[in-house]
């Protein structure tokens, strides 16, 4: 089953990889195993399991059949040898990083990453004696310059949250390999349907599976995918002891969602491209950021690196600033004013009046979050309805 991706297309892989009929009942759908503990049989059998002579499920924090099925499916989609499912995207990021770095080590990270990942590095890892240098990773030379003797990890996210800037994974992967430094890429925004960092020379991928893998906005989870030896270490070291495993019920929902991942992402891509192109010509809009538009400064890289499509996230800047953003948020009826992304429903945020209203204007602007910035997670609705919904909230008299 792990070899599915070598012979089958992505839709077949998403449906069949990691699954097989339940040996006990013949059930075609992987059963939801909620049991926290498993019968060890006899004392002798239990001893053999604990001595590592026999493989068996023992306790759900150490392994669960429903979670394992999701891990196999996710690994096949990412072209990874193995994957680990976690309680959230942040649990995946923390576990993957802590597998690599220890006190005294140094990380080079892209600056344009999900804010909680940034805070994890600055506050939590900083307190453990792990230093991080944040660089503009849109230019691989900046990553190369920041690598020091103590550097153990280059951390990337592409497209980056929220401004959709890209990192050249092939170029940065090669720089890190030459320096003997490990690489992690957060592939949440692209999903493996659009971009496979491991095929481009990145060592490990992390995901907030809460987003496109789940796809229906009803389960929080994360993934680490990469080489089998790394995944084993990630499990036996940080994950097992910090305990951020995925709950079986969430794995069941993730398995169900992942079956349609390629189908959904194709439509997210198509809807987002159409909306971005429409927004670019709207009189109320100053600027659109979408990797699939020729106006994106890294469009050539996007075409190379994202063969499946350019994703469902679109950012745009309103000429009318804060007031125009608030007006749009209050006018939309099909799009929901909500954080998160990758849902079937379109989700819209205006950071200046919502998520970023607590930071100073100067700090906000320094992060590229302008007064009129709108972030849209384009859903699976009819694109004509999305266009009409946004148009009703945008002032055409600009
Ligand atoms: N990585 C990326 C790129 C994300 O966007 C998020 C969450 C995470 C990791 C963390 O995943 P979680 O632990 O929440 O599963 N992004 C969010 C966002 O943009 N709005 O709300 C959450």
């Amino acid at each position: 089953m792990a070899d599915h991706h070598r012979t089958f297309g992505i839709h077949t892989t998403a449906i069949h990889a990691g699954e097989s009929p339940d040996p006990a009942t013949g059930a075609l759908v992987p059963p939801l195993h909620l049991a926290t503990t498993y019968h060890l049989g006899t004392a002798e059998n239990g001893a053999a399991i604990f001595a590592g002579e026999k493989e068996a499920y023992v306790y759900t924090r150490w392994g669960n059949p429903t979670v394992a099925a999701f891990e196999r499916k996710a690994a096949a989609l990412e072209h990874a040898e193995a994957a680990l499912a976690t309680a959230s995207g942040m649990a995946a990021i923390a576990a993957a990083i802590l597998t690599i770095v220890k006190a005294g080590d140094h990380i080079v990270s892209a600056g344009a990453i999900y804010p909680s990942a940034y805070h994890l590095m600055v506050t939590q890892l900083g307190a453990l004696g792990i230093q991080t240098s944040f660089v503009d990773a849109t230019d691989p030379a900046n990553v190369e310059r920041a690598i020091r003797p103590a550097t153990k990890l280059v951390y990337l996210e592409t497209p980056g949250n929220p401004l959709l800037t890209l990192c050249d994974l092939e170029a940065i992967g090669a720089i890190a390999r030459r320096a003997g430094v490990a690489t992690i890429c957060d592939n949440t925004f692209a999903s493996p349907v659009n971009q496979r960092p491991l095929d481009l020379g990145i060592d490990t991928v992390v995901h907030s599976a809460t987003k496109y893998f789940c796809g229906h906005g009803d389960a929080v989870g994360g993934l680490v995918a990469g080489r089998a030896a790394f995944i084993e270490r990630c499990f036996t070291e940080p994950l097992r002891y910090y305990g951020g495993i995925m709950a079986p019920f969430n794995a069941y929902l993730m398995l169900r969602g992942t079956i349609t991942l390629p189908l959904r992402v194709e439509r997210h891509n198509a809807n987002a491209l159409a909306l971005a192109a429409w927004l670019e010509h709207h009189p109320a809009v100053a600027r659109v950021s979408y990797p699939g538009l020729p106006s994106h400064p890294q469009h050539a890289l996007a075409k190379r690196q994202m063969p499946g499509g350019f994703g469902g996230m679109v950012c745009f800047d309103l000429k009318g600033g804060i007031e125009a953003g608030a007006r749009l948020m209050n006018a939309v009826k099909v799009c929901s004013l909500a954080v998160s992304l990758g849902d079937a429903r379109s989700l819209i945020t205006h950071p200046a009046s919502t998520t970023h209203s607590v930071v100073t204007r100067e700090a906000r602007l320094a992060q590229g979050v302008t007064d009129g910035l709108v972030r849209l997670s384009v859903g699976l609705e009819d694109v004509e309805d999305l266009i009409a919904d946004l148009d009703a909230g945008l002032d055409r008299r600009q």
Side-chain angles (χ1 to χ4, degrees):
M1 283 291 171
D3 278 348
H4 252 289
H5 64 269
R6 296 191 213 288
T7 43
F8 291 108
I10 193 159
H11 295 276
T12 312
T13 303
I15 295 164
H16 293 286
E19 305 192 351
S20 45
D22 177 41
T25 61
L28 209 51
V29 173
L32 167 54
H33 290 281
L34 291 170
T36 56
T37 193
Y38 294 79
H39 206 292
L40 297 175
T42 60
E44 293 73 21
N45 200 50
I49 293 167
F50 276 88
E53 292 156 11
K54 222 172 179 181
E55 274 212 22
Y57 290 107
V58 173
Y59 180 58
T60 274
R61 180 160 51 77
W62 302 341
N64 172 280
T66 311
V67 176
F70 175 54
E71 290 170 337
R72 290 192 297 267
K73 198 182 280 294
L77 287 165
E78 277 293 359
H79 291 186
E81 288 176 10
L84 207 51
T86 59
S88 67
M90 286 310 302
I93 293 168
I97 294 177
L98 288 169
T99 307
I100 298 167
V101 294
K102 305 282 175 268
D105 291 342
H106 174 249
I107 303 172
V108 176
S109 174
I113 58 172
Y114 175 56
S116 293
Y118 171 88
H119 288 293
L120 167 76
M121 291 180 212
V122 172
T123 64
Q124 304 305 300
L125 301 185
L128 295 177
I130 298 154
Q131 255 193 28
T132 306
S133 302
F134 295 93
V135 299
D136 174 359
T138 57
D139 182 355
N142 292 335
V143 175
E144 187 155 33
R145 267 193 296 274
I147 292 176
R148 318 171 182 163
T151 308
K152 292 281 159 55
L153 169 67
V154 170
Y155 183 88
L156 306 167
E157 181 180 313
T158 182
N161 184 357
L163 298 171
L164 307 176
T165 50
L166 308 185
C167 313
D168 186 333
L169 295 177
E170 209 162 8
I172 298 174
I175 288 168
R177 254 193 321 283
R178 275 202 302 278
V181 172
T183 43
I184 296 178
C185 176
D186 185 330
N187 202 28
T188 300
F189 270 37
S191 92
V193 180
N194 290 335
Q195 168 178 285
R196 287 198 179 93
L198 302 181
D199 288 352
L200 299 171
I202 296 297
D203 297 321
T204 304
V205 160
V206 291
H207 274 280
S208 169
T210 315
K211 313 294 160 43
Y212 290 103
F213 273 94
C214 173
H216 298 74
D218 52 9
V220 172
L223 282 167
V224 183
R227 289 186 202 97
F230 180 86
I231 295 301
E232 178 66 19
R233 270 181 46 225
C234 187
F235 169 66
T236 53
E237 294 174 31
L239 196 69
R240 180 157 44 178
Y241 298 118
Y242 285 107
I245 56 129
M246 178 173 280
F249 185 56
N250 282 21
Y252 181 85
L253 292 173
M254 296 284 175
L255 268 169
R256 188 180 160 108
T258 305
I259 283 177
T260 55
L261 176 72
L263 200 60
R264 286 184 285 104
V265 169
E266 280 175 10
R267 186 167 169 100
H268 283 295
N269 290 342
N271 275 1
L273 183 61
L275 258 185
W278 173 79
L279 282 164
E280 203 165 37
H281 294 106
H282 199 286
V285 175
R287 189 172 51 88
V288 178
S289 176
Y290 184 67
L293 291 180
S295 60
H296 191 287
Q298 297 164 295
H299 181 56
L301 172 61
K303 282 197 288 191
R304 243 187 6 254
Q305 184 164 280
M306 306 177 76
F310 305 104
M313 297 301 291
V314 177
C315 276
F316 53 101
D317 206 355
L318 297 173
K319 288 179 186 164
I322 297 256
E323 295 73 27
R327 178 175 181 270
L328 177 62
M329 295 307 110
N330 290 332
V332 287
K333 292 193 170 66
V334 180
C335 299
S336 301
L337 172 54
V339 299
S340 200
L341 60 119
D343 198 300
R345 305 155 186 85
S346 289
L347 308 176
I348 196 164
T349 54
H350 174 228
S353 70
T354 55
T355 49
H356 286 63
S357 60
V358 289
V359 298
T360 65
R361 184 160 188 271
E362 290 66 38
R364 190 159 55 65
L365 292 177
Q367 294 167 25
V369 179
T370 51
D371 289 350
L373 183 76
V374 175
R375 188 186 86 157
L376 182 60
S377 169
V378 181
L380 304 177
E381 299 92 340
D382 295 286
V383 73
E384 300 76 19
D385 294 331
L386 293 174
I387 287 176
D389 195 44
L390 293 175
D391 195 38
L394 294 172
D395 190 350
R396 288 197 157 265
R397 298 158 307 165
Q398 301 271 347

